[in-house]
Amino acid sequence: MTRSTPPTAGQYWRVTMTMCTAATLPQAYAAYHRRPMSALNRSPLSAEDLAAVGGLLERPVVAVDVGCRDGVRQSWRELRPNALLIGFDADPEECARLNAGAGDTTQERYEPVGLAASEGQATLYVTADPQSSSLYPPDPRAVRRYPELWRHAPRGTETISTTTLDTWANGADIPVIDALKVDVQGAELDVLRGAEQSLGTVRIVESEVEFQQLYVGQPLFTDVDRHLRERGFSLWRLREIHHCGLS
């Protein structure tokens, strides 16, 4: 990690962070810098690399995508049939649509479940773009300040049932999760707090994080980074940096 220039008052920033366990991190760096990957400036997790790795596995990789609206990453599908891909979204209709197009549900399936830090009832804050709905209310100051955040404009609330990733995994007889992606509009740390047992087998975590508050009370990058570091993960890279200025 290096010191970076902080965002100005006229910008909001969000980014996707990838963290690996200590055992995985040297392998990740070595894979990335091995030619031709470094020359092409592309990830070792690209589709052709995953397809090659898939056939060498002793057991199927279990990859979990929390906040999977529109489906898991296409590159993940290159691991099939040597993988079990499981997506979570609190919208039953979206999960039904994704399951209808997934094909073999023993390789890819979608669970209409809201994951959080604990089991119970929670308020889902519905927004103009359903993909921006969150367990945290949109920050009205951010919505007013940044025109690009029209997607976060409030459209009402719903009460949903939540569970934790650990509780779900125990009930579904999923003892090992290898890769975890979390993109739940500010509630990423909540999901990770409910995955204490699951993180024990996870080798790589990909999480969306923000450096400025887009939702009221949401944890920011430093909170997520600290939580994962305390559990043996190290930062591998930051990518997909999004920011915009005032109109």
Side-chain angles (χ1 to χ4, degrees), residues 1 5 9 12-13 22 24 29 35 71-72 103 105 110 126 132 135 162 166 208:
M1 299 176 66
T5 303
Y12 78 85
W13 288 53
T24 306
Y29 276 116
R35 291 186 180 277
V72 300
T105 57
Y110 296 89
V126 181
S132 297
L135 295 179
T162 63
D166 284 346
E208 183 179 73

Side-chain angles (χ1 to χ4, degrees), residues 143-157:
V143 174
R144 289 193 301 266
R145 190 174 183 84
Y146 308 119
E148 187 175 320
L149 293 185
W150 64 266
R151 298 173 177 83
H152 292 212
R155 290 293 186 268
T157 62

Side-chain angles (χ1 to χ4, degrees), residues 63-77 80 85-89 94-99 101-102 108-111 131 181 183 206:
V64 169
D65 184 339
V66 185
C68 66
R69 198 170 192 90
D70 296 329
V72 300
R73 291 185 181 277
Q74 181 58 41
S75 60
W76 283 20
R77 295 191 174 103
R80 295 171 49 178
L85 311 178
I86 306 170
F88 289 87
D89 195 281
E94 175 67 2
C95 287
R97 182 184 72 83
L98 293 171
N99 277 321
E108 180 179 343
R109 70 175 187 265
Y110 296 89
E111 301 284 345
Q131 194 162 348
K181 173 252 179 184
D183 182 355
E206 181 178 282

